Amino acid sequence: MGYLGNHLATMVTGVFAATLTGLWPYFVNFAPITNFIFVICVPITWFLTFTCWISQKSTDYMHKSETHVSHSEKKSLSNLQTTQIYTSDGKQVSPTEIKAVQNELSGELNKLKETVKLKDSEIERLNQEISNLQTLVQIESLKTELANLKMLALGSKTKNK
């Protein structure tokens, strides 16, 4: 936050609106079009100033932004907010209970990791068996092919004689 408490846009628009409002009486006598321009511009700039102010107030309210809270106060507030955890039924949970649940979940996670490692090794073993079986099938198919070729070769020799 800056010196203006995040109201810089409001201040700039407000100064512009005030300047236009202050200059309006001096430019009324120049031409009728200048009066028309001022009649349009002055209310619009004041409306923009009001809109900027309302939107910044809304943002400050939504984010609970306070200009007088120091850094150490913000830190202590955030520490209080993180240590006060409530269950879905509204009971407050202490940090020791959180640690106990965290340790329990870590144990379960480690068990799951071991199970996954066992499953991965089983999958690897099955993949190896599949590749071995494919090799055996290929060998048997080559033996069959070779036997067929021998039979054809014997058949052609007997026809030639």
Side-chain angles (χ1 to χ4, degrees):
M1 276 208 260
Y3 293 110
L4 301 175
N6 286 339
H7 286 282
L8 182 62
T10 306
M11 291 301 295
V12 168
T13 312
V15 167
F16 183 64
T19 304
L20 283 179
T21 304
L23 291 177
W24 190 358
Y26 298 110
F27 285 97
V28 170
N29 297 330
F30 283 120
I33 191 72
T34 57
N35 190 29
F36 177 73
I37 290 172
F38 276 96
V39 165
I40 297 297
C41 291
V42 169
I44 289 173
T45 54
W46 281 115
F47 175 76
L48 287 174
T49 303
F50 178 73
T51 305
C52 289
W53 180 74
I54 286 293
S55 65
Q56 187 59 50
K57 285 294 185 183
S58 172
T59 303
D60 290 345
Y61 177 78
M62 293 303 293
H63 295 287
K64 305 288 188 238
S65 176
E66 298 179 19
T67 58
H68 63 277
V69 176
S70 68
H71 181 66
S72 60
E73 289 174 344
K74 285 182 185 178
K75 228 176 175 183
S76 65
L77 284 175
S78 67
N79 287 341
L80 285 175
Q81 289 173 351
T82 57
T83 57
Q84 294 178 354
I85 298 175
Y86 296 91
T87 60
S88 60
D89 57 353
K91 296 178 183 175
Q92 187 174 359
V93 180
S94 69
T96 55
E97 292 173 332
I98 292 172
K99 285 289 182 188
V101 171
Q102 200 174 26
N103 290 336
E104 181 183 330
L105 289 175
S106 294
E108 288 181 22
L109 181 63
N110 289 335
K111 287 178 188 175
L112 284 174
K113 285 180 181 177
E114 288 299 318
T115 307
V116 167
K117 285 180 185 175
L118 291 174
K119 296 294 182 188
D120 285 345
S121 64
E122 181 71 19
I123 289 170
E124 185 62 36
R125 187 186 63 77
L126 289 173
N127 282 337
Q128 185 63 38
E129 280 186 33
I130 288 170
S131 66
N132 290 340
L133 287 173
Q134 286 175 343
T135 305
L136 288 174
V137 167
Q138 289 172 348
I139 290 172
E140 288 300 319
S141 116
L142 287 173
K143 283 182 182 178
T144 306
E145 191 76 29
L146 188 58
N148 287 338
L149 287 173
K150 284 182 182 178
M151 292 297 286
L152 283 173
L154 284 176
S156 66
K157 282 184 184 179
T158 55
K159 280 186 182 178
N160 288 340
K161 290 187 182 182

Short mmCIF file of all heavy atoms in Angstrom, two decimals, residues 90-117:
data_model
loop_
_atom_site.label_atom_id
_atom_site.label_comp_id
_atom_site.label_asym_id
_atom_site.label_seq_id
_atom_site.Cartn_x
_atom_site.Cartn_y
_atom_site.Cartn_z
N GLY A 90 -17.20 -28.39 13.44
CA GLY A 90 -16.98 -27.19 14.23
C GLY A 90 -16.04 -27.36 15.40
O GLY A 90 -15.85 -26.44 16.17
N LYS A 91 -15.43 -28.54 15.58
CA LYS A 91 -14.50 -28.74 16.69
C LYS A 91 -13.12 -28.24 16.29
O LYS A 91 -12.68 -28.44 15.17
CB LYS A 91 -14.43 -30.22 17.05
CG LYS A 91 -15.74 -30.78 17.58
CD LYS A 91 -15.62 -32.24 17.89
CE LYS A 91 -16.96 -32.80 18.34
NZ LYS A 91 -16.90 -34.25 18.52
N GLN A 92 -12.44 -27.64 17.27
CA GLN A 92 -11.10 -27.13 16.99
C GLN A 92 -10.09 -28.27 17.10
O GLN A 92 -10.16 -29.11 17.97
CB GLN A 92 -10.74 -26.02 17.97
CG GLN A 92 -9.45 -25.33 17.64
CD GLN A 92 -9.18 -24.14 18.53
OE1 GLN A 92 -9.99 -23.82 19.39
NE2 GLN A 92 -8.05 -23.50 18.34
N VAL A 93 -9.12 -28.28 16.17
CA VAL A 93 -8.11 -29.32 16.12
C VAL A 93 -6.79 -28.73 16.59
O VAL A 93 -6.37 -27.66 16.14
CB VAL A 93 -7.96 -29.87 14.68
CG1 VAL A 93 -6.92 -30.96 14.63
CG2 VAL A 93 -9.29 -30.37 14.17
N SER A 94 -6.11 -29.44 17.50
CA SER A 94 -4.84 -28.94 18.03
C SER A 94 -3.69 -29.35 17.11
O SER A 94 -3.82 -30.30 16.33
CB SER A 94 -4.60 -29.48 19.44
OG SER A 94 -4.36 -30.88 19.39
N PRO A 95 -2.56 -28.65 17.20
CA PRO A 95 -1.40 -29.01 16.36
C PRO A 95 -0.90 -30.43 16.61
O PRO A 95 -0.41 -31.08 15.70
CB PRO A 95 -0.35 -27.97 16.75
CG PRO A 95 -1.13 -26.81 17.25
CD PRO A 95 -2.33 -27.39 17.90
N THR A 96 -1.02 -30.94 17.86
CA THR A 96 -0.56 -32.31 18.13
C THR A 96 -1.44 -33.33 17.42
O THR A 96 -0.94 -34.33 16.90
CB THR A 96 -0.56 -32.59 19.64
OG1 THR A 96 -1.87 -32.31 20.17
CG2 THR A 96 0.47 -31.74 20.36
N GLU A 97 -2.75 -33.08 17.38
CA GLU A 97 -3.65 -33.97 16.64
C GLU A 97 -3.33 -33.93 15.15
O GLU A 97 -3.38 -34.96 14.47
CB GLU A 97 -5.10 -33.56 16.88
CG GLU A 97 -5.58 -33.80 18.29
CD GLU A 97 -6.97 -33.24 18.54
OE1 GLU A 97 -7.34 -32.25 17.87
OE2 GLU A 97 -7.67 -33.78 19.40
N ILE A 98 -3.00 -32.74 14.66
CA ILE A 98 -2.64 -32.61 13.24
C ILE A 98 -1.38 -33.42 12.95
O ILE A 98 -1.31 -34.14 11.95
CB ILE A 98 -2.44 -31.13 12.88
CG1 ILE A 98 -3.77 -30.39 12.93
CG2 ILE A 98 -1.83 -30.99 11.49
CD1 ILE A 98 -3.65 -28.90 12.78
N LYS A 99 -0.37 -33.34 13.85
CA LYS A 99 0.87 -34.10 13.67
C LYS A 99 0.60 -35.59 13.70
O LYS A 99 1.17 -36.36 12.92
CB LYS A 99 1.90 -33.73 14.75
CG LYS A 99 2.54 -32.41 14.54
CD LYS A 99 3.49 -32.47 13.37
CE LYS A 99 4.18 -31.13 13.20
NZ LYS A 99 4.94 -31.05 12.00
N ALA A 100 -0.29 -36.04 14.61
CA ALA A 100 -0.61 -37.46 14.71
C ALA A 100 -1.26 -37.96 13.42
O ALA A 100 -0.88 -39.01 12.88
CB ALA A 100 -1.53 -37.71 15.90
N VAL A 101 -2.20 -37.20 12.91
CA VAL A 101 -2.86 -37.58 11.66
C VAL A 101 -1.88 -37.54 10.50
O VAL A 101 -1.88 -38.41 9.62
CB VAL A 101 -4.08 -36.66 11.39
CG1 VAL A 101 -4.65 -36.88 10.02
CG2 VAL A 101 -5.15 -36.87 12.45
N GLN A 102 -0.99 -36.56 10.53
CA GLN A 102 0.03 -36.44 9.48
C GLN A 102 0.96 -37.66 9.50
O GLN A 102 1.27 -38.22 8.44
CB GLN A 102 0.82 -35.15 9.71
CG GLN A 102 1.55 -34.64 8.52
CD GLN A 102 2.19 -33.28 8.81
OE1 GLN A 102 2.49 -32.95 9.97
NE2 GLN A 102 2.38 -32.49 7.79
N ASN A 103 1.38 -38.09 10.69
CA ASN A 103 2.24 -39.28 10.79
C ASN A 103 1.51 -40.53 10.32
O ASN A 103 2.09 -41.39 9.65
CB ASN A 103 2.73 -39.45 12.23
CG ASN A 103 3.72 -38.38 12.63
OD1 ASN A 103 4.38 -37.79 11.78
ND2 ASN A 103 3.81 -38.11 13.92
N GLU A 104 0.24 -40.65 10.69
CA GLU A 104 -0.55 -41.80 10.26
C GLU A 104 -0.68 -41.84 8.73
O GLU A 104 -0.50 -42.89 8.11
CB GLU A 104 -1.94 -41.72 10.91
CG GLU A 104 -2.85 -42.87 10.56
CD GLU A 104 -4.23 -42.69 11.18
OE1 GLU A 104 -4.34 -42.07 12.26
OE2 GLU A 104 -5.20 -43.18 10.57
N LEU A 105 -0.96 -40.69 8.16
CA LEU A 105 -1.08 -40.63 6.70
C LEU A 105 0.25 -40.89 6.02
O LEU A 105 0.30 -41.49 4.95
CB LEU A 105 -1.65 -39.28 6.28
CG LEU A 105 -3.12 -39.04 6.62
CD1 LEU A 105 -3.52 -37.62 6.27
CD2 LEU A 105 -4.02 -40.04 5.92
N SER A 106 1.35 -40.45 6.63
CA SER A 106 2.67 -40.73 6.06
C SER A 106 2.95 -42.23 6.07
O SER A 106 3.51 -42.77 5.11
CB SER A 106 3.75 -40.00 6.85
OG SER A 106 3.62 -38.62 6.72
N GLY A 107 2.57 -42.91 7.15
CA GLY A 107 2.73 -44.37 7.22
C GLY A 107 1.93 -45.07 6.13
O GLY A 107 2.43 -45.99 5.47
N GLU A 108 0.68 -44.63 5.95
CA GLU A 108 -0.15 -45.22 4.90
C GLU A 108 0.43 -44.96 3.51
O GLU A 108 0.40 -45.83 2.64
CB GLU A 108 -1.58 -44.66 4.98
CG GLU A 108 -2.37 -45.17 6.16
CD GLU A 108 -3.77 -44.61 6.19
OE1 GLU A 108 -4.28 -44.17 5.14
OE2 GLU A 108 -4.36 -44.60 7.29
N LEU A 109 0.97 -43.77 3.33
CA LEU A 109 1.59 -43.43 2.04
C LEU A 109 2.80 -44.32 1.78
O LEU A 109 2.98 -44.81 0.65
CB LEU A 109 2.00 -41.96 2.03
CG LEU A 109 2.64 -41.43 0.75
CD1 LEU A 109 1.66 -41.52 -0.41
CD2 LEU A 109 3.11 -40.02 0.94
N ASN A 110 3.61 -44.56 2.80
CA ASN A 110 4.77 -45.44 2.63
C ASN A 110 4.34 -46.87 2.29
O ASN A 110 4.97 -47.53 1.46
CB ASN A 110 5.64 -45.42 3.89
CG ASN A 110 6.36 -44.11 4.06
OD1 ASN A 110 6.61 -43.40 3.09
ND2 ASN A 110 6.69 -43.76 5.30
N LYS A 111 3.26 -47.35 2.93
CA LYS A 111 2.74 -48.69 2.62
C LYS A 111 2.28 -48.75 1.17
O LYS A 111 2.53 -49.73 0.46
CB LYS A 111 1.58 -49.04 3.55
CG LYS A 111 1.99 -49.37 4.96
CD LYS A 111 0.77 -49.67 5.81
CE LYS A 111 1.15 -49.81 7.27
NZ LYS A 111 -0.05 -49.99 8.12
N LEU A 112 1.60 -47.71 0.72
CA LEU A 112 1.14 -47.66 -0.67
C LEU A 112 2.30 -47.65 -1.64
O LEU A 112 2.27 -48.29 -2.70
CB LEU A 112 0.25 -46.44 -0.90
CG LEU A 112 -1.16 -46.53 -0.36
CD1 LEU A 112 -1.88 -45.20 -0.53
CD2 LEU A 112 -1.94 -47.62 -1.07
N LYS A 113 3.38 -46.93 -1.28
CA LYS A 113 4.56 -46.90 -2.14
C LYS A 113 5.18 -48.28 -2.25
O LYS A 113 5.60 -48.69 -3.33
CB LYS A 113 5.58 -45.89 -1.60
CG LYS A 113 5.22 -44.45 -1.84
CD LYS A 113 6.29 -43.52 -1.28
CE LYS A 113 5.93 -42.06 -1.49
NZ LYS A 113 6.92 -41.16 -0.90
N GLU A 114 5.25 -49.02 -1.13
CA GLU A 114 5.79 -50.37 -1.16
C GLU A 114 4.92 -51.29 -2.02
O GLU A 114 5.43 -52.09 -2.80
CB GLU A 114 5.89 -50.94 0.27
CG GLU A 114 6.98 -50.31 1.10
CD GLU A 114 8.36 -50.53 0.50
OE1 GLU A 114 8.65 -51.63 0.03
OE2 GLU A 114 9.15 -49.57 0.50
N THR A 115 3.60 -51.14 -1.89
CA THR A 115 2.68 -51.93 -2.71
C THR A 115 2.88 -51.63 -4.19
O THR A 115 2.90 -52.54 -5.02
CB THR A 115 1.22 -51.64 -2.30
OG1 THR A 115 1.09 -51.82 -0.90
CG2 THR A 115 0.25 -52.54 -3.03
N VAL A 116 3.05 -50.36 -4.49
CA VAL A 116 3.26 -49.97 -5.89
C VAL A 116 4.57 -50.55 -6.41
O VAL A 116 4.65 -51.04 -7.54
CB VAL A 116 3.23 -48.43 -6.03
CG1 VAL A 116 3.74 -47.99 -7.38
CG2 VAL A 116 1.82 -47.92 -5.81
N LYS A 117 5.62 -50.55 -5.56
CA LYS A 117 6.90 -51.13 -5.98
C LYS A 117 6.74 -52.62 -6.25
O LYS A 117 7.29 -53.14 -7.22
CB LYS A 117 7.96 -50.90 -4.90
CG LYS A 117 8.48 -49.49 -4.84
CD LYS A 117 9.52 -49.33 -3.76
CE LYS A 117 9.96 -47.89 -3.62
NZ LYS A 117 10.89 -47.69 -2.50
#
